[in-house]
Amino acid sequence: MARLKPARPIWSDELRPVAEDERARRILACLRRISDQTGETVHYSVLERDAAVLVYRAKGTQRVAVDFQIGDRSPLHCSSIGKVLLAFQDMRLTEAVIARGLVKVAPKTPEFASFIRSSGQN
């Protein structure tokens, strides 16, 4: 019986296109400029299924800051970036998020579908 070997990942660091490196460099440069001008920590997140995922950040100089880590996920209705990402999606995604339930994770987390629906211009 032949023994199966693990396949090489389809997407590895060696295969990453140069364009992706340039994109990351530009994003980080922009985040650093904003952070330098404001002193705030700046995040860049992407939509992944039903969450906002932190991909890049530039730390600010403020003494008090929320310390999210690269790879942290937050439900779309629970964070400002999640609401922004949701606002620019098809209304079907917004309705799917609402249908799964708007779990309250903090005192000001919106629990009402009308708030989430009115946040976007879909």
Side-chain angles (χ1 to χ4, degrees):
M1 182 154 135
R3 195 160 178 194
L4 298 175
K5 291 191 251 179
R8 181 182 172 133
I10 294 172
W11 193 259
S12 68
D13 286 340
E14 298 88 35
L15 300 175
R16 185 176 32 178
V18 173
E20 182 65 24
D21 288 340
E22 178 62 18
R23 181 173 173 248
R25 187 190 66 72
R26 287 181 181 189
I27 291 168
L28 287 168
C30 181
L31 295 178
R32 285 188 194 106
R33 265 193 319 274
I34 295 168
S35 181
D36 288 347
Q37 290 174 2
T38 64
E40 299 289 343
T41 296
V42 183
H43 296 144
Y44 180 91
S45 296
V46 297
L47 176 68
E48 185 178 278
R49 293 189 207 114
D50 60 349
V53 180
L54 180 59
V55 181
Y56 302 107
R57 76 171 172 194
K59 286 196 170 195
T61 56
Q62 297 291 334
R63 295 181 71 117
V64 177
V66 177
D67 193 24
F68 292 106
Q69 303 301 311
I70 300 298
D72 280 356
R73 302 173 64 84
S74 63
L76 294 173
H77 73 287
C78 295
S79 67
S80 57
I81 188 62
K83 291 182 197 94
V84 168
L85 291 170
L86 195 57
F88 288 92
Q89 301 308 307
D90 187 272
M91 193 60 168
R92 290 174 292 193
L93 177 62
T94 302
E95 291 300 327
V97 168
I98 292 167
R100 283 192 288 275
L102 304 177
V103 178
K104 190 172 185 84
V105 297
K108 293 188 178 184
T109 300
E111 298 175 275
F112 304 103
S114 59
F115 175 81
I116 298 300
R117 285 187 186 106
S118 68
S119 295
Q121 299 294 320
N122 343 31

